[in-house]
Amino acid sequence: MKNFVSVHDVTDIDALVKKALAFKLNPFGEKSLGANKRIGCLFLNPSMRTRLSTQIAAQNLGMEAIIFNVGSEGWALEFEEEAIMSGTTVEHVKDAAPIFGKYFDILAIRTFPSLKNREDDYSELYIKQFIKYAGIPVVSLESATLHPLQSLTDVITISESFKDTRKPKIVLTWAPHVKPLPQCVANSFSQWINAWGKAEFIITHPEDYNLSEEFTKRAIITTNQDEALKDADFVYVKNWSTFNDYGKIYESDPKWMLTNKKLEQTNNAKVMHCLPVRRNVELSDEVLDGPNSIITQEASNRVWAAQAVLSEILKSNG
Ligand code: CP
């Protein structure tokens, strides 16, 4: 594995899941793999789980993890080629990234979308520029359109939680929120579940909340949440803002919030969410605090997902 920015960087999803679950049983099995290696984790945006789980994963492999909150503590970076830097940006990525490439063995980056211009966000300029100029492997800690470490975690969590021989029915349901959120988690979850190919996959959302077909194309899509939830084994709850009229909130009807009453239609489904979650807006207290919620298990698996990815990168890149 050279970089890890989407499911396309993974040749065998099940093998990566198996590796992650082996780390869960034996966290220090490759303690010497990362000796004398350093990962730089650059945060242009806030994080809790991604930051901590990546640090722990790196340490489990014997690596040193250095965190740089570049968004709040560093120079404002310019990403456009041939920019005339007479505005607010202070340093060009083509000057900064090669330096990160000398300081670190792996570079990990979190960068959210602007939600202002869809073409710009979906070009993934920021992460592509880091790949172009850093000269070392790049790991996405969530980019403008995808969150692959979260999605790998989600496949791990579903794999370890579902023991039946049939395919699980997985429902991705839109939920209300108070502010426009990126489509990253929903895009990425769709991309991974489709690529995994081991589930019946249904996406439900209100009118006008379609996601990019690039990621959803093999899923069944419906605006009828009740119909989607019927017999579900897993319900993945997530808000996202509009894709067509980009980055807007069209709908906030609380009827889209998952409740215990709605869960009755499912096959006693496990409920997932990437977190952070707005309680009693996206998901009700009764569901989050009830027996069907596996959100803590899911978040704890972030460590093993990150560790499996870092291990693969270290092995592929010497
Ligand atoms: N799910 C997730 O990425 O959480 P953080 O934003 O806290 O890292």
Side-chain angles (χ1 to χ4, degrees):
M1 190 186 289
K2 170 74 177 142
N3 300 300
F4 183 77
V5 298
S6 87
V7 77
H8 300 306
D9 294 307
V10 180
T11 48
D12 185 338
I13 294 174
D14 278 325
L16 198 58
V17 167
K18 202 171 157 194
K19 187 180 178 92
L21 290 172
F23 280 130
K24 188 169 183 170
L25 288 174
N26 182 17
F28 306 111
E30 293 185 355
K31 183 70 190 170
S32 56
L33 181 65
N36 304 321
K37 304 269 185 191
R38 227 178 268 129
I39 180 171
C41 300
L42 271 51
F43 286 87
L44 282 87
N45 303 96
S47 168
M48 183 178 93
R49 280 145 291 269
T50 307
R51 172 176 169 160
L52 296 175
S53 61
T54 306
Q55 269 183 290
I56 295 166
Q59 285 169 6
N60 286 351
L61 293 167
M63 297 187 85
E64 184 182 1
I66 294 183
I67 306 295
F68 182 23
N69 292 313
V70 63
S72 56
E73 296 165 358
W75 300 115
L77 289 174
E78 176 63 55
F79 290 88
E80 292 292 340
E81 296 290 345
E82 298 174 22
I84 297 169
M85 290 173 55
S86 55
T88 53
T89 54
V90 177
E91 180 157 24
H92 203 284
V93 68
K94 68 161 68 172
D95 299 314
I99 300 167
F100 297 134
K102 297 295 178 203
Y103 291 166
F104 305 120
D105 301 282
I106 299 175
L107 190 61
I109 299 139
R110 165 163 284 201
T111 159
F112 285 169
S114 67
L115 291 181
K116 292 191 178 106
N117 182 309
R118 190 175 78 192
E119 259 178 45
D120 283 355
D121 287 344
Y122 275 70
S123 76
E124 289 284 11
L125 177 68
Y126 285 23
I127 204 131
K128 282 183 181 162
Q129 292 289 64
F130 277 113
I131 290 171
K132 184 173 174 186
Y133 290 117
I136 55 172
V138 170
V139 172
S140 167
L141 300 174
E142 187 169 351
S143 66
T145 66
L146 295 171
H147 195 352
L149 280 174
Q150 180 65 52
S151 308
L152 171 58
T153 302
D154 298 330
V155 176
I156 293 165
T157 307
I158 290 166
S159 296
E160 71 176 354
S161 303
F162 192 74
K163 297 298 172 203
D164 213 318
T165 49
R166 67 179 168 84
K167 283 185 172 184
K169 178 176 174 181
I170 300 173
V171 177
L172 168 63
T173 181
W174 183 90
H177 204 283
V178 294
K179 56 182 249 194
L181 294 190
Q183 292 117 28
C184 311
V185 171
N187 283 345
S188 197
F189 186 74
S190 303
Q191 186 190 45
W192 278 72
I193 297 298
N194 278 331
W196 189 43
K198 293 198 166 174
E200 187 190 341
F201 182 39
I202 298 179
I203 303 171
T204 182
H205 57 70
E207 293 287 349
D208 302 317
Y209 273 86
N210 60 291
L211 295 161
S212 166
E213 278 179 31
E214 179 187 349
F215 307 114
T216 63
K217 55 191 163 201
R218 282 167 45 196
I220 297 164
I221 300 170
T222 174
T223 54
N224 186 331
Q225 191 192 42
D226 288 331
E227 190 180 286
L229 290 174
K230 198 166 177 314
D231 299 327
D233 298 296
F234 294 89
V235 182
Y236 200 98
V237 180
K238 187 73 187 87
N239 169 269
W240 60 88
S241 57
T242 52
F243 174 73
N244 287 340
D245 180 19
Y246 190 58
K248 305 285 190 310
I249 295 182
Y250 277 5
E251 169 77 77
S252 55
D253 191 337
K255 78 170 191 230
W256 277 88
M257 184 178 74
L258 194 67
T259 58
N260 275 345
K261 183 78 190 149
K262 288 190 182 187
L263 269 183
E264 284 173 13
Q265 303 166 91
T266 70
N267 183 27
N268 197 23
K270 308 276 189 213
V271 177
M272 303 175 70
H273 190 287
C274 64
L275 303 176
V277 64
R278 297 264 184 159
R279 279 179 174 256
N280 302 310
V281 177
E282 284 178 90
L283 259 170
S284 59
D285 276 343
E286 61 178 6
V287 173
L288 281 166
D289 299 332
N292 294 64
S293 169
I294 54 170
I295 56 166
T296 306
Q297 173 192 344
E298 182 184 1
S300 70
N301 282 337
R302 292 293 307 268
V303 172
W304 320 119
Q307 195 166 336
V309 166
L310 295 182
S311 164
E312 284 294 301
I313 289 178
L314 286 171
K315 285 177 181 170
S316 310
N317 294 277

